[in-house]
Amino acid sequence: MRSLEIKNSTSSDEIKALRLITALKTPYLPDGRFDLEAYDALMNMQIINGAEAVIVGGTTGEGHLMSWDEHIMLIGHTVNCFGGSIKVIGNTGSNSTREAIHASEQGFAIGMHAALHINPYYGKTSLEGLVAHLEAVLSMGPSIIYNVPSRTGQDIPPSVIQQLAQHANMAGVKECVGNKRVKEYTDQDIVVWSGNDDECHDSRWGFGATGVISVTSNLVPGLMHELMFGGSNTKLNSKLLPLIDWLFREPNPIGINTALAQLGVVRPVFRLPYVPLSLARRIEFVNIVKEIGREHFVGNKDVQVLDDDDFILVGRY
Amino acid sequence: MRSLEIKNSTSSDEIKALRLITALKTPYLPDGRFDLEAYDALMNMQIINGAEAVIVGGTTGEGHLMSWDEHIMLIGHTVNCFGGSIKVIGNTGSNSTREAIHASEQGFAIGMHAALHINPYYGKTSLEGLVAHLEAVLSMGPSIIYNVPSRTGQDIPPSVIQQLAQHANMAGVKECVGNKRVKEYTDQDIVVWSGNDDECHDSRWGFGATGVISVTSNLVPGLMHELMFGGSNTKLNSKLLPLIDWLFREPNPIGINTALAQLGVVRPVFRLPYVPLSLARRIEFVNIVKEIGREHFVGNKDVQVLDDDDFILVGRY
Amino acid sequence: MRSLEIKNSTSSDEIKALRLITALKTPYLPDGRFDLEAYDALMNMQIINGAEAVIVGGTTGEGHLMSWDEHIMLIGHTVNCFGGSIKVIGNTGSNSTREAIHASEQGFAIGMHAALHINPYYGKTSLEGLVAHLEAVLSMGPSIIYNVPSRTGQDIPPSVIQQLAQHANMAGVKECVGNKRVKEYTDQDIVVWSGNDDECHDSRWGFGATGVISVTSNLVPGLMHELMFGGSNTKLNSKLLPLIDWLFREPNPIGINTALAQLGVVRPVFRLPYVPLSLARRIEFVNIVKEIGREHFVGNKDVQVLDDDDFILVGRY
Amino acid sequence: MRSLEIKNSTSSDEIKALRLITALKTPYLPDGRFDLEAYDALMNMQIINGAEAVIVGGTTGEGHLMSWDEHIMLIGHTVNCFGGSIKVIGNTGSNSTREAIHASEQGFAIGMHAALHINPYYGKTSLEGLVAHLEAVLSMGPSIIYNVPSRTGQDIPPSVIQQLAQHANMAGVKECVGNKRVKEYTDQDIVVWSGNDDECHDSRWGFGATGVISVTSNLVPGLMHELMFGGSNTKLNSKLLPLIDWLFREPNPIGINTALAQLGVVRPVFRLPYVPLSLARRIEFVNIVKEIGREHFVGNKDVQVLDDDDFILVGRY
């Protein structure tokens, strides 16, 4: 199914150079379908404020709540409308090798610049199985491996990453295990993006990380850009930590979904099993926005505290 | 699900101006998946030889043998790689309104320039149902209505076309019923493309048709371009008729599939229920190519007579 | 994928003996999903009144408006709840050989007693392709071939049926071309069911047909049972003809959908592209019911004329 | 979509009484499709040896490597062929509420006796979200909640189970956290099945568990039946522990897949990302079988050490 004609065919080196990658939120219409107008607006906010790439349908973008045809369509839409201005990284990983192969083949065929691959969460497998899984997809194009044991139930050990790092398409690792692990990789010239917004400043400036794959940059892309490009800046980092702390009080993307709705840039629609943060937390967010400054956040409406009744939760869509 | 950001957003007027639209063949790998390298080569041959648009996954392209995710992916691939050089018209029609809505929404979201819509074949419906079906999709973007009673079992009568022609997105009709019907529409300034290669010269130069949606142009795009752009040319038309006659001895795309395989531009792989033309017909084709001139046909290998054993027929893919 | 354990594994001979087969209507909830309570009630009416088999997801049951997982689920549901009382024939045919293979394999795996197979409508193919298509599925279990050129655009000629009739799983033909064709087959001991309610009395008693695959029996299963079992009965046939004529004024299942809604046995919900018959026709139906006798029709509510506003048309479901 | 006709409609109380539930292995053909003949043989071995229920498409049965239509078909097949002899529990849970709703609706419609529901693994959610997720499916029929934090990354706390236990359809918990947690539930009359074969003897006889949902019973159903029905039997438990220990050296179902292939009851076909245990481990298994006694294991071929080349690994199927 390979094509020789993929427009803007991307090398691993281009991916390795990215510092600010946003794990983009997917906004919904009241019936649960994608709200592409809101999505496009979010994309433009990212581009204007300096994000260099987006993850489409990551855990933040709720790829696990999409059918594959929705997911691939969203990648294709993003490539078609924004692929000239920003790198598009499709989360075409899966705990099923069949699905990862199929989705990655389709994603590269429609022009995504790189794939994000997860180890087989929930089903899990042996290290030999993990390597077989990742080797089945690495040949297709530039790929980032994502290690997040708190979600997958299984750490990807350095031995596996070192083995895969020989592959020309292996761009690097999105690592959530901590800065000791980050340093272990960067000491060996393996590219790392921090997967933890609260650690990413130190990862970048103290442990050799190339950048961050960020949730927080959905909200304050300009500040996250400053954090990744402007040199060590503990003052800015400290200013952001209360926001980051607030975002991850419940499993992501519950916080970011609530926040973007209160900023008026997405409709307050949740696909189950996600539900909004409590009223108390929603009030906290408004205060955090005021503390940091509304002007640093996306959108230009007043931030507001939404009522419980403002939210729409959809189970069938 | 609407987006305001579709790149190269296309008006109905741009679609109305197209004269040579190729209903592109979809080539396969031996396991039945798409052969995108061959597909890209076919696309480049169309662009170089003057086709202005392609139908992706039409009856010629065997959209009815694709899963929808394959179909949408192929549209996205075509837009991404070739959308700047040629118009991409997705055959997102269906006899199921749900499927037509879903596929058209997805197709426009990933950048197709227009949709091709069929009336509900096989299941059929009343005229009121037909209008409801088409109105459910016309709002999404420029659309061509396809009338081919020999496949659908039901003629779309002029009364329906006239009613839909008021809609800003209705670009015109691909009409297979004959030149009397063509003239009925063109007299009312409704744009028509001939859906019959054997009639298209006369449709264009004698009955007011804008152009053709062609199968034959898969083989001889340059000659079909001449036929549609160069003024009335009965000599060229006569030269092409034996080829066209040969192509439609069995239901399309059996002939075109056989021909392209013998020209060496696609692998000799058929998705069932299609099977190659008989050896006798395959020999005829080689003679027709010599008669017209190999140089007018796509590809640059010698045309050859394939053996029965050269063909691969796939039922599971 | 074969199983040796299919409960009530059925021989072709058992299928060949069936006289009254109802092409069952699929009822819907207001959101377009299946209304299984109404479905079960319809099934019970069929069983009580003597139908010996049902077609699940035929053109009457709108299989072409189902996703395959809905379709297979409905077959499985019918087998599980009613398979001991009535034969369950799944319409697992398709114009795509891949889909026909997959659906038939699944249908037999979940216990359907026979498959209904159509020739490749819309896409069409050569006779060699048609034979290859049908041979790909015949090995799986008892099968009925369905010939309806007015829907498919292509007649299945006797030569093909005769060739396939050698296969042990070929149970017979649902033939819509007329009684001359019926006789041609029955003279050769090929089992035929009439696919035209208006001809079925004569097919059965004058041309050797085994029975009927009926739409009308959704409404008056007892009378259709009488027509197929009680010996030639031109008086009953004449009594039914106005009803049958009414049912097929617009493409089936528009009439039957409208009728069952007015009898109060299904909700007045239509999946597009089907829309109800006009008010004038709906009034006619009430008169026809009175003429034949309400007691012969399914359900026990008063028949009523529904208003336009009573109907719900769904395009997304 | 509810039906009133589900055959053998099952109460929660019937589910609560089950002591030996096998999480059945799904066997494959060399092309990766289901091997239903082998599956049926495994089912019969379970029935003959006293298993009272099976989980279809659990993590052991690799439901996460199935498309939903495969999964639902397998549930329907099991109900149709074996539903009179054994309870069929479909693993229709998902980390996507939409998928859990759709699959559970379909599973109950085709006759499964109960559903197994997981909390949203990988994507995770808040406790409020978890409750909303489970409440969306509990109304459909008897349900077992599955808690396995080592796979899901998130413990289901007792507070949530206690809240859901009020629901009439909540049959109980498959608990993997340990016997302290088991006792916490059984002290409150909440039914628990051990999800850990190595602990299940003690769970059953020391901590009030009703029984086990077992992987090991795929191999030695008769011994597991004795362990759950025959009273406390530490000798038998000790005899089994080396086998259980062997089975879980790598993430399940790697061990069970390898074991069943070596016992000759399934083909040595693995869907990736699973790969067989190493040769050293495969030799160990043969010794364990000899130690326990071949006659206690399913199948009647000699147990053998398979070579690496005997195994088929499939990524596309």
Side-chain angles (χ1 to χ4, degrees), chain A residues 1-3 5 7 29 33-34 36-37 40 44 69 73 77 79-81 102 105-106 109-111, chain B residues 1-3 5 7 29 33-34 36-37 40 44 69 73 77 79-81 102 105-106 109-111:
Chain A
M1 205 166 103
R2 287 177 58 85
S3 163
E5 294 279 343
K7 206 165 54 182
L29 296 172
R33 284 181 301 143
F34 295 157
L36 289 185
E37 291 193 30
D40 294 347
N44 281 321
D69 75 303
M73 184 281 283
H77 171 75
V79 168
N80 181 58
C81 297
H102 186 68
E105 236 175 26
Q106 292 205 328
I110 58 172
Chain B
M1 205 166 103
R2 288 178 57 85
S3 162
E5 292 280 342
K7 206 165 55 184
L29 296 172
R33 283 180 302 142
F34 295 158
L36 289 186
E37 291 193 29
D40 294 346
N44 280 322
D69 76 303
M73 184 281 283
H77 171 76
V79 168
N80 181 57
C81 297
H102 185 68
E105 234 174 27
Q106 292 205 328
I110 59 171

Side-chain angles (χ1 to χ4, degrees), chain C residues 1-3 5 7 29 33-34 36-37 40 44 69 73 77 79-81 102 105-106 109-111, chain D residues 1-3 5 7 29 33-34 36-37 40 44 69 73 77 79-81 102 105-106 109-111:
Chain C
M1 202 165 106
R2 288 177 58 84
S3 163
E5 293 280 343
K7 206 166 54 183
L29 297 171
R33 283 181 301 143
F34 295 158
L36 289 185
E37 292 193 29
D40 295 346
N44 281 321
D69 76 303
M73 184 282 282
H77 171 75
V79 168
N80 182 57
C81 297
H102 186 69
E105 235 174 26
Q106 293 206 327
I110 58 171
Chain D
M1 204 165 103
R2 287 177 58 84
S3 162
E5 293 280 343
K7 206 166 54 184
L29 296 171
R33 284 181 299 142
F34 295 158
L36 289 185
E37 291 193 29
D40 294 348
N44 281 321
D69 75 304
M73 184 282 282
H77 171 76
V79 168
N80 182 56
C81 297
H102 186 68
E105 235 175 25
Q106 292 205 328
I110 60 172

